[in-house]
Amino acid sequence: MSKGNFTRRSMLMASATTGAALAMPTIFSSAVWADGHTGFTNAPGDSSVTLGFNVPQTGAYADEGADELRAFRLAVAHLNGEGDGGMLNTFSSTVLDGTGIMGRRVEYVTGDTQTASDAARSSARSMIERDGAIMISGGSSSGVAVAVQSLCQDAGVIFMAGLTHANDTTGKDMRANGFRHFFNTEMTGRALAPILEGLYGTDRKVYHLTADYNWGWSQERSIRAYTEGLGWETINSVLTPVGAGDFSSYLTPVANSGADVLILNHYGGDMVNSLTQAVQFGLRDMQANGKNFEIVVPLFSRLMARGAGSAIANIHGSTNWHWSLQDAGSQAFVRSFGTEYGFPPSQAAHTCYVQTLLYADAVTRGGSFNPCAVVEALEGFEFDGMGNGPTLYRADDHQCFKDVLVVRGKENPENEYDLLEIVEVTPRADVTYPVDHPDFAEGQLGTCNPGA
Amino acid sequence: MLGLKKADLRLFLIVVGLVVFAPFLLNPFPESVGMAQFNAGYPDLMQKLVIFGIFAVGYNILFGLTGYLSFGHAAFLGVGSYSGVWMMKLLTMNVIPALIVSVIAAGLFSLLIGYVSLRRTGIYFSILTLAFAQMCYSLAYSVLTPITGGETGLTLSLSDPRILGAAQAADGNIPAAHIFGLGMGESAELVLGDWSFTFNVGYYLSGIVMLVAFYLAIRLFRSPFGLMLRAIKSNQTRMSYTGLNPRPYALAAFVISGMYAGLAGGLMVAMDPLAGAERMLWTASGEVVLMTILGGAGTLIGPILGAGVIVYLESIISTINSSVLHGWFNALPDWLENTLVNIMYPFVGSGWHLTLGLVFMLVVIFLPGGIVEGGKRIAGVFKRNRAEPSGDIKKSAEPGE
C-alpha cells in the first residue's frame, strides 16, 4: 500500500479536474455540434424514415415472429406504393396515398426479442440509438411488450404493440407513447362466457392449468371471473412452468378431481403440448358428473392449431382476427399476403400490419412525426376497414375496442390453414369494459414524451 | 504512481485510453458505407461493453486467482439489478444510492451462498452455485413476483414514492435516471464529415466506475491477499498444512467478486431501469465464464477483452440478416453471391452462437491462455526479431499468469 500524501495543491488540482470532467458532457450537449434536432428523438430527414420491427426470431414464439415480419414487410411495401395496396384501399381514413409517410420513403430495421425482456429492450435500444428508428413495433409476449413499451416512453419514440394479450399492457403498465390494437384477457372473458354458457350450461366444475407468468395469471383471473359469474365452480387451479414440454404430471390428477371442464391458460408451444397430451389421455371421451368432459383454450391462434393437429377438433376459444373473415378489409389483406407468400396470414401478422398502417396514418393526419402529435392523432381515433369492423382507439388507456371472435377447431379441416371456424363475432359493445375496471387499476398513462 | 508497478501502470493507462476514446475507436466506418454495420459506437453497446467488463473483472478475482469455478454469478448480477431498481422506486432517481445498495445487497447475498457452497471444492462447488442460481431465477420468475416483477421484469412506475426525489418529472412522466441532475441518456454528438461520434453521459459514468473497479482489481492481484488466493489455486492441502485456513480467503474472494457482479447489475439498471429475471439464468452465468476464459483467466486485462469480444459479437453479428449479406456481395455474379450468402447465413443473425462457439473453440485449442496469450505471442515474435542475439526467448515462454 502506498502512503497517500495529500497536499492542498493536489486537492485543488484534483477537484478542478473532477469538476471539469463532470462539466464536459454539458458543454457537449449544448447543441453546438449537434444537428438534426427538431424537438424530438430521431426526427427523420427529408427523403426517408426508419421504423424498427422487434420480433422474436428465436425461441418459443419464433413462428409468430416470422409471420409478423412478413406482415411488416408487406405493410412497408404498401406504404411505399408497391404491391396491390392491401388494406389501404379499404381503410376508412384515406390520407395514405402510397408515397411513403409524408412523402418520405419508409425503411425498416429488424431486431430479435428472443422473448426476453432484457434482450428485447437491448435490441430496441440499438434500433433507436444506432439506426434512428422513430417507431418500434412487434413482439409476441406481454412481458416483452410491457418492457419495450416503457423503454419507448423513456426514449421518446412511439411503441405500436404487436401480439400482447395480458391486461397489464394497457392496464397497470400503460404508457402514453404505447398503443395496443390486439385484444386482452378481459375481452376474451366477456366474449367467451356467453358461448360457454350456451354450450355447456351453468352447472360446471372447472380445473385450470395456467402458464406461470404474467399473461397466464391475467388470463386465468379474467376467465375465472366470468365463468364463476355463470355459476361454474372452480375446483382447482395449477400453475405450470413456461416451456414445460411434458404436462402429463399436471394432467393426471385432472381426471379424478371431480372437474368436468379443463381450461388451458397456455399459449404457443405450451398449449400445443398440453392440449395434445390432454386429448391423448382420453379426457375428451370421458364422462364426469354425468356430463361430457370439455376442454377450453381461451386464446386460440391458427399457428397453434396447426401444431396441435387433430386435437383441436371442436375446442372453443377466442381470437383477435381470422383470415376466413369475409369483410373487404380482411379479404384485401389475405389476398395481398397470399400473393406475396403463398399462404394466409395469422392473427399476429394481422395486428402488426394494421398497427403499422395506423401509425403511418396518424403521422399523416397529425402532420408531424413528433410522438406527441401521433399520440394526439391516435387517441379517440375511430376507424373501419381493417378487418375487425368499426374500431376505437380509446384515449384513456390506448386500447383498441372492436369485435372479438369466438372460434372452434374444425372437425374435418380441408387444408392445413383451414383449421378454425368462427362461431360468433361478439360485438364491440359487449366486450367494452369501463376505464376504471379493477383489473386495469393503478395504471397511469403519464404524458407523451417526444424525447430530446 | 498510484501505487502500481511500471508494467501495471502502463496496462492501466492503456485501459484508461481505451475507455476515454471508445466513441472514436468503436466507430471506425463512415455512416454511408456498408461496413457501418460493424460500428459499435452507440450508447447501449458501449455501456454494455464496460459493464460486462466489470462483471468479468470481478469474476476473474474468484476464478482466475482461486480457481473456484462458480456457475452462479448471474444471481449476484440479478440481485444487484433488483436492488438498484428498488432504490430508484423508493428513494431517488439519482444512481448513486442505487449503485451503493446493489453492491451491498449482492455482497450480503454472496456471503450467504458462498458460506454454503465453499464447504465443497471442484465440481461440487460448481454444481452448488449453479443450483443456487437456478433457484434464484425460478424464485424471481414466479414466486417472488411482488418483489421482482416476475416475467415482465421490475419496472418503475408513476405511483412509486421516491421519497428523496420527484415521483414525477415536470412533464408528468417517470423521471430519468441521473447523477446529480445529469441524465444517463444525455449524449453529445460530434459530426466530422461522414462520421458521427456519440459521447454519452451514462457510458462515461460506467467507464469511470469500470476504471476504479479495474484499479482495485490490480491492487488486489498484487497484494499479499492476492498471493494467498493464488496459493489456494496451486495447492489447498499444502496451504492448510502450513497452518493457514484457506476458507476465509476463498470466501472473501467470493464475496468481492459477488460485489463486482452486483455493481455491474446496479450499473445496468442505472443505464436502463428494468431488471428481468432472465438476467439470472444459467446461460448468463455461463457467459461470464466464457468471457473470462476467452480473454485469459488469471490475467488482468483478459476478462475485459473477453467481455468486449462476446458482447460485440452478440450485438453486431446478431443484427446481420440475409438482406444485409446480399447487400455486401451485390457486385459478385449471382451464383457466387448466393453460395457465399448460404455459407455465411448460419453464422449470423440468430446463429451468432455458432460464431461464438467457433471462436471459443479456436481460442481454447490454439491459445489456452486466451486472447492475452495471443497478444503475448505476437509481441514475442516481434521482440525476438529485434533482439535475436541476446536470446530473450526464455521470457516469452513464461506462463500467461
Side-chain angles (χ1 to χ4, degrees):
Chain A
M1 291 286 157
S2 73
K3 277 193 195 128
N5 44 350
F6 288 110
T7 61
R8 180 162 37 176
R9 178 172 296 180
S10 71
M11 263 303 276
L12 284 174
M13 272 179 69
S15 44
T17 332
T18 323
L22 282 174
M24 256 308 250
T26 12
I27 299 168
F28 272 99
S29 61
S30 55
V32 180
W33 288 309
D35 69 337
H37 280 268
T38 47
F40 59 98
T41 303
N42 290 341
D46 292 330
S47 59
S48 71
V49 53
T50 307
L51 309 182
F53 300 137
N54 206 14
V55 305
Q57 296 176 26
T58 51
Y61 300 140
D63 278 355
E64 275 91 347
D67 222 36
E68 288 183 357
L69 213 47
R70 287 183 203 111
F72 281 131
R73 269 193 237 117
L74 198 65
V76 167
H78 290 168
L79 287 173
N80 285 334
E82 297 150 13
D84 60 4
M87 279 188 183
L88 287 185
N89 306 317
T90 60
F91 189 17
S92 61
S93 170
T94 52
V95 293
L96 293 172
D97 52 5
T99 55
I101 308 177
M102 296 222 305
R104 291 162 179 84
R105 197 182 154 74
V106 182
E107 284 168 10
Y108 67 93
V109 287
T110 62
D112 183 6
T113 68
Q114 301 172 29
T115 313
S117 318
D118 270 353
R121 269 173 91 101
S122 150
S123 81
R125 275 191 77 186
S126 93
M127 288 193 281
I128 296 168
E129 291 174 358
R130 189 175 67 148
D131 307 313
I134 191 162
M135 179 276 264
I136 302 291
S137 183
S140 185
S141 140
S142 292
V144 165
V146 166
V148 177
Q149 179 163 275
S150 71
L151 173 86
C152 290
Q153 175 77 36
D154 297 343
V157 300
I158 292 285
F159 177 64
M160 302 298 280
L163 193 154
T164 155
H165 190 235
N167 287 341
D168 284 353
T169 313
T170 49
K172 181 169 79 62
D173 297 305
M174 60 166 102
R175 292 285 190 276
N177 285 23
F179 289 86
R180 166 160 70 175
H181 171 264
F182 209 69
F183 70 145
N184 56 38
T185 62
E186 170 69 17
M187 296 179 174
T188 288
R190 281 173 181 257
L192 212 47
I195 306 294
L196 294 180
E197 185 182 18
L199 286 167
Y200 308 136
T202 54
D203 177 30
R204 282 284 186 168
K205 292 183 168 48
V206 188
Y207 197 104
H208 284 273
L209 286 186
T210 302
D212 190 7
Y213 74 104
N214 192 312
W215 169 76
W217 308 333
S218 174
Q219 179 66 77
E220 187 195 311
R221 198 166 51 238
S222 298
I223 210 89
R224 262 177 91 152
Y226 285 97
T227 50
E228 283 170 8
L230 297 176
W232 293 18
E233 186 191 339
T234 306
I235 295 273
N236 199 357
S237 150
V238 175
L239 296 173
T240 64
V242 179
D246 181 16
F247 289 88
S248 45
S249 57
Y250 300 102
L251 288 164
T252 320
V254 176
N256 301 318
S257 63
D260 46 38
V261 174
L262 171 65
I263 297 188
L264 293 173
N265 299 304
H266 290 152
Y267 186 71
D270 278 356
M271 176 258 164
V272 171
N273 289 330
S274 64
L275 179 60
T276 316
Q277 288 181 349
V279 173
Q280 279 166 359
F281 269 46
L283 288 179
R284 297 294 309 277
D285 312 321
M286 229 175 63
Q287 295 273 324
N289 309 330
K291 305 181 191 82
N292 278 329
F293 195 95
E294 302 292 350
I295 299 176
V296 177
V297 178
L299 179 60
F300 236 141
S301 90
R302 200 201 74 229
L303 295 171
M304 281 152 45
R306 192 168 60 181
S310 60
I312 59 147
N314 224 0
I315 298 221
H316 286 75
S318 69
T319 186
N320 190 52
W321 179 84
H322 192 251
W323 65 272
S324 64
L325 283 168
Q326 291 302 315
D327 62 290
S330 303
Q331 290 287 303
F333 177 51
V334 173
R335 202 176 318 117
S336 13
F337 195 95
T339 317
E340 186 75 23
Y341 304 113
F343 49 86
S346 65
Q347 60 172 353
H350 170 255
T351 199
C352 289
Y353 178 86
V354 171
Q355 285 278 67
T356 314
L357 295 197
L358 283 173
Y359 171 78
D361 174 70
V363 169
T364 317
R365 281 185 300 113
S368 165
F369 285 97
N370 189 322
C372 288
V374 177
V375 169
E376 206 185 310
L378 275 174
E379 280 185 344
F381 179 45
E382 179 83 48
F383 60 94
D384 198 358
M386 299 292 239
N388 300 97
T391 309
L392 168 73
Y393 244 128
R394 186 155 77 182
D396 309 284
D397 52 6
H398 294 185
Q399 166 73 48
C400 262
F401 287 86
K402 54 190 168 18
D403 301 346
V404 170
L405 307 182
V406 177
V407 291
R408 169 173 65 205
K410 273 202 173 174
E411 302 245 14
N412 298 307
E414 285 161 26
N415 56 52
E416 60 169 322
Y417 304 111
D418 179 34
L419 298 170
L420 301 175
E421 60 187 329
I422 297 162
V423 178
E424 167 104 9
V425 180
T426 310
R428 172 170 133 192
D430 291 0
V431 294
T432 303
Y433 53 85
V435 179
D436 55 0
H437 189 289
D439 284 359
F440 295 81
E442 73 184 274
Q444 282 171 286
L445 278 177
T447 53
C448 72
N449 177 18
Chain B
M1 205 175 103
L2 292 169
L4 297 178
K5 278 186 287 182
K6 208 172 160 199
D8 290 340
L9 184 67
R10 202 177 58 198
L11 191 67
F12 184 62
L13 290 180
I14 291 174
V15 175
V16 171
L18 287 177
V19 169
V20 170
F21 295 108
F24 297 103
L25 297 173
L26 293 174
N27 255 8
F29 307 107
E31 275 182 3
S32 53
V33 302
M35 296 295 275
Q37 183 81 34
F38 291 104
N39 278 346
Y42 59 97
D44 178 48
L45 184 52
M46 291 198 293
Q47 290 164 2
K48 266 209 258 165
L49 286 172
V50 289
I51 291 173
F52 276 98
I54 295 173
F55 190 22
V57 163
Y59 185 76
N60 191 35
I61 291 175
L62 179 71
F63 177 56
L65 288 182
T66 68
Y68 276 96
L69 177 62
S70 159
F71 263 115
H73 258 55
F76 309 131
L77 187 87
V79 168
S81 292
Y82 284 124
S83 30
V85 176
W86 270 111
M87 282 305 106
M88 293 187 189
K89 282 171 95 73
L90 299 176
L91 286 179
T92 161
M93 289 304 288
N94 192 329
V95 297
I96 299 291
L99 290 182
I100 292 171
V101 172
S102 325
V103 174
I104 293 172
L108 291 176
F109 194 63
S110 55
L111 186 65
L112 187 77
I113 290 189
Y115 185 76
V116 180
S117 306
L118 283 166
R119 322 233 122 219
R120 294 283 170 272
T121 56
I123 188 78
Y124 303 102
F125 168 80
S126 304
I127 297 289
L128 273 175
T129 49
L130 178 65
F132 274 120
Q134 271 308 86
M135 239 159 67
C136 296
Y137 167 73
S138 305
L139 287 174
Y141 196 87
S142 66
V143 183
L144 293 179
T145 296
I147 303 174
T148 62
E151 176 249 4
T152 309
L154 187 62
T155 45
L156 305 172
S157 95
L158 279 171
S159 46
D160 293 333
R162 275 188 276 282
I163 47 175
L164 294 181
Q168 288 190 10
D171 60 357
N173 278 312
I174 298 168
H178 63 87
I179 176 165
F180 304 115
L182 207 56
M184 290 296 122
E186 280 177 37
S187 302
E189 247 177 82
L190 174 63
V191 180
L192 292 175
D194 209 5
W195 280 267
S196 104
F197 304 105
T198 312
F199 305 90
N200 175 266
V201 175
Y203 166 71
Y204 278 105
L205 175 72
S206 318
I208 290 167
V209 174
M210 195 266 254
L211 291 175
V212 173
F214 184 57
Y215 172 73
L216 291 177
I218 300 180
R219 292 298 293 261
L220 195 146
F221 263 62
R222 301 295 177 231
S223 68
F225 175 72
L227 204 61
M228 285 296 184
L229 298 183
R230 284 202 180 88
I232 296 179
K233 184 179 187 178
S234 67
N235 195 333
Q236 215 178 123
T237 325
R238 193 196 291 164
M239 193 174 165
S240 12
Y241 282 168
T242 54
L244 288 160
N245 183 2
R247 197 176 294 151
Y249 289 103
L251 184 61
F254 192 85
V255 172
I256 291 172
S257 73
M259 287 163 85
Y260 268 79
L263 179 64
L267 271 176
M268 271 183 184
V269 296
M271 301 304 129
D272 181 10
L274 174 133
E278 64 265 23
R279 220 166 259 188
M280 305 171 105
L281 200 60
W282 65 273
T283 49
S285 298
E287 212 165 48
V288 71
V289 180
L290 286 190
M291 287 171 183
T292 312
I293 295 177
L294 187 66
T299 62
L300 281 168
I301 200 174
I304 297 180
L305 297 177
V309 169
I310 290 186
V311 174
Y312 180 83
L313 279 181
E314 173 173 357
S315 305
I316 301 296
I317 305 286
S318 69
T319 57
I320 300 174
N321 52 32
S322 61
S323 64
V324 175
L325 285 181
H326 278 288
W328 289 349
F329 302 116
N330 228 343
L332 300 173
D334 261 358
W335 64 271
L336 191 60
E337 178 186 333
N338 288 333
T339 326
L340 279 176
V341 168
N342 284 338
I343 291 173
M344 285 182 70
Y345 186 68
F347 294 93
V348 298
S350 53
W352 75 272
H353 281 115
L354 206 57
T355 314
L356 176 65
L358 276 180
V359 171
F360 189 68
M361 262 170 55
L362 291 177
V363 165
V364 170
I365 294 172
F366 296 106
L367 296 170
I371 300 172
V372 169
E373 190 183 326
K376 276 191 179 155
R377 280 195 199 172
I378 294 169
V381 169
F382 282 109
K383 243 180 220 162
R384 225 175 309 165
N385 282 352
R386 231 184 316 138
E388 191 69 67
S390 64
D392 205 15
I393 303 164
K394 196 175 147 221
K395 203 168 188 183
S396 64
E398 268 174 4
E401 290 166 14

